[in-house]
Amino acid sequence: MENKDIVMLVQQSWDLEIGSNARNLAMEFARKNRVLYVNPPLDIKTVLKGRKDPKVRQRLKSVWNVAPSLQQVDTNIWVYTPDCICLSINWLTSKSLFRRLNGYNNRLLAKSVWKAICQLEFSGFTLFNDSQMFLGLNQKELIHPEKYIYYVRDYLITQDYFKKHGTWTEAELMQKADLVVANSAYLADYARKSNPQSYDIGQGCELDAFDPAVKHSVPIELTNLPRPIIGYTGFLTAARLDIALLESLADARPDWSFVLVGPEDQVFKDSRLHQKKNVYFTGTKPPSQLPAYLQHLDVCINPQLVNELTIGNYPRKIDEYLGMGKPVVATSTRAMEMFADYVYLAKSSGEYIVLLEKALAEDNHAQALARTSFAKGHTWEASAQAMYDALPSSLEQKEPVYEP
């Protein structure tokens, strides 16, 4: 896919302080195409609650035409802040009323985005929808893209905000799409129930910092800990991680050290893990320090719960672990199947112990190199190329036109 125009409707604004899949893909698309990245529009509730928030106030300037709505942020990438304010309607219980008012919001957004499309003189464009299931529902009929791609990167309909209306809007939207792409096998299976043209395109990761050839000093918390050291890095939340499993591992191997790197939610803070002498909490660490911790672990783990929140998610931390060449033991899920040749997959606490011992016994330099090589293959270039390869080749060619 080269020398094309791509319009992206996204869930996360360009100026988000943490990374986002949409922004990474936008930069990859822009290597050979022109990209219009459409920030989520403001809604009434956000304006009222965030009237003192500097970011909300800045976006209101675009609505009031005090600041430009369209800005070029990189070669071939323009970010557009819609000059409209949508209705806040997710609290509605009536499907028919929600559909009607959501249609109004869709028309507001389409009219605004069309201004940017015309200003940039985009033609024959592809519309890439990053899980904007509400505001993207009617865009195919309103702005008539040449191709319409829907991107599923999280199982959003399990989250409270999307549960009420997301179950039917996302299914309906996927049925309309020319192509649905997902970042895990589980989510591709989910999408295929609504659209047979649904594919797993994997996930890109930024692994430059996770280079095993760079030698790091031993972090102070790991100094003099009994070996082996088994570790996890990331947000310690009971919604996603299995505290009971971690407790059972610590009890089963009191001579091993279990290190948990990252911020804790209240359930973790109150857990019995803090009473165990072989479990160590380091607290929050900046991303720049994580490679040092990983380098000095013997085995990395991902002890996740298997629930609606976790079952379909692509585990980016696994790529970080493997990128550092580390042996990994993780909970077995559909999304983890693609890692089966490089990660030990466990279905119970008993299997975890067996596989941790196996990981320690089998670890060698050749395996470490293979893990690193595998992880580094998960690039945004590869993910985008998989999407290009999956695009139907016989879609109708037409000039776009806005139909309010």
Side-chain angles (χ1 to χ4, degrees), residues 121-287:
E121 298 182 341
F122 274 24
S123 64
F125 62 85
T126 295
L127 181 60
F128 181 92
N129 182 341
D130 170 39
S131 296
Q132 270 284 18
M133 62 186 75
F134 299 150
L135 290 171
L137 184 60
N138 305 123
Q139 297 305 322
K140 184 175 184 178
E141 299 90 336
L142 290 169
I143 60 176
H144 292 282
E146 184 177 288
K147 301 180 180 71
Y148 190 17
I149 301 171
Y150 187 69
Y151 182 45
V152 187
R153 54 177 170 74
D154 284 302
Y155 198 21
L156 291 178
I157 62 171
T158 64
Q159 298 179 14
D160 289 342
Y161 180 81
F162 296 98
K163 278 182 178 178
K164 192 179 300 178
H165 299 291
T167 51
W168 63 269
T169 54
E170 186 162 56
E172 194 171 299
L173 196 156
M174 289 192 292
Q175 289 166 13
K176 295 179 182 182
D178 299 307
L179 174 71
V180 181
V181 292
N183 67 342
S184 76
Y186 181 90
L187 291 175
D189 290 345
Y190 156 69
R192 211 166 284 122
K193 295 174 184 177
S194 298
N195 188 329
Q197 295 296 319
S198 299
Y199 301 92
D200 174 14
I201 62 169
Q203 170 84 25
C205 295
E206 299 80 48
L207 296 178
D208 291 347
F210 296 89
D211 183 353
V214 177
K215 300 305 177 184
H216 299 274
S217 299
V218 180
I220 190 169
E221 296 94 341
L222 306 188
T223 304
N224 300 322
L225 286 187
R227 295 279 178 177
I229 302 176
I230 315 300
Y232 170 89
T233 61
F235 181 35
L236 300 167
T237 171
R240 294 179 179 273
L241 298 181
D242 193 336
I243 291 178
L245 169 61
L246 288 168
E247 290 175 347
S248 68
L249 296 180
D251 289 340
R253 291 293 182 272
D255 52 329
W256 292 2
S257 299
F258 293 87
V259 175
L260 304 176
V261 182
E264 302 173 70
D265 69 7
Q266 194 58 48
V267 179
F268 256 87
K269 290 177 180 178
D270 296 338
S271 73
R272 292 186 299 165
L273 288 168
H274 283 273
Q275 301 168 18
K276 298 186 182 297
K277 295 181 179 180
N278 62 334
V279 177
Y280 306 87
F281 291 83
T282 70
T284 305
K285 298 296 176 182

Side-chain angles (χ1 to χ4, degrees), residues 343-370:
V343 173
Y344 300 90
L345 300 179
K347 296 180 179 179
S348 66
S349 59
E351 283 191 10
Y352 255 92
I353 291 296
V354 171
L355 293 177
L356 282 168
E357 291 176 338
K358 188 175 182 181
L360 289 165
E362 294 181 347
D363 188 29
N364 58 54
H365 182 62
Q367 285 198 3
L369 291 177

Side-chain angles (χ1 to χ4, degrees), residues 35-182:
V35 176
L36 173 61
Y37 187 101
V38 181
N39 282 332
L42 291 170
D43 58 52
I44 293 173
K45 182 178 179 180
T46 301
V47 171
L48 293 177
K49 290 185 66 176
R51 57 188 180 275
K52 295 183 180 180
D53 185 327
K55 289 187 177 180
V56 173
R57 292 165 69 93
Q58 181 61 37
R59 288 186 185 151
L60 280 171
K61 291 181 181 179
S62 297
V63 177
W64 298 328
N65 294 317
V66 176
S69 295
L70 185 64
Q71 294 182 307
Q72 186 168 6
V73 296
D74 206 338
T75 304
N76 286 341
I77 303 179
W78 290 263
V79 172
Y80 181 66
T81 301
D83 59 352
C84 61
I85 299 177
C86 293
L87 301 175
S88 301
I89 59 174
N90 201 45
W91 58 273
L92 293 170
T93 57
S94 168
K95 178 180 176 179
S96 60
L97 183 56
F98 179 90
R99 182 186 289 279
R100 189 177 306 119
L101 295 179
N102 188 58
Y104 172 79
N105 281 344
N106 272 247
R107 290 190 295 275
L108 276 181
L109 179 59
K111 184 177 181 180
S112 181
V113 172
W114 190 253
K115 297 176 186 176
I117 291 172
C118 292
Q119 187 174 338
L120 294 173
E121 298 182 341
F122 274 24
S123 64
F125 62 85
T126 295
L127 181 60
F128 181 92
N129 182 341
D130 170 39
S131 296
Q132 270 284 18
M133 62 186 75
F134 299 150
L135 290 171
L137 184 60
N138 305 123
Q139 297 305 322
K140 184 175 184 178
E141 299 90 336
L142 290 169
I143 60 176
H144 292 282
E146 184 177 288
K147 301 180 180 71
Y148 190 17
I149 301 171
Y150 187 69
Y151 182 45
V152 187
R153 54 177 170 74
D154 284 302
Y155 198 21
L156 291 178
I157 62 171
T158 64
Q159 298 179 14
D160 289 342
Y161 180 81
F162 296 98
K163 278 182 178 178
K164 192 179 300 178
H165 299 291
T167 51
W168 63 269
T169 54
E170 186 162 56
E172 194 171 299
L173 196 156
M174 289 192 292
Q175 289 166 13
K176 295 179 182 182
D178 299 307
L179 174 71
V180 181
V181 292

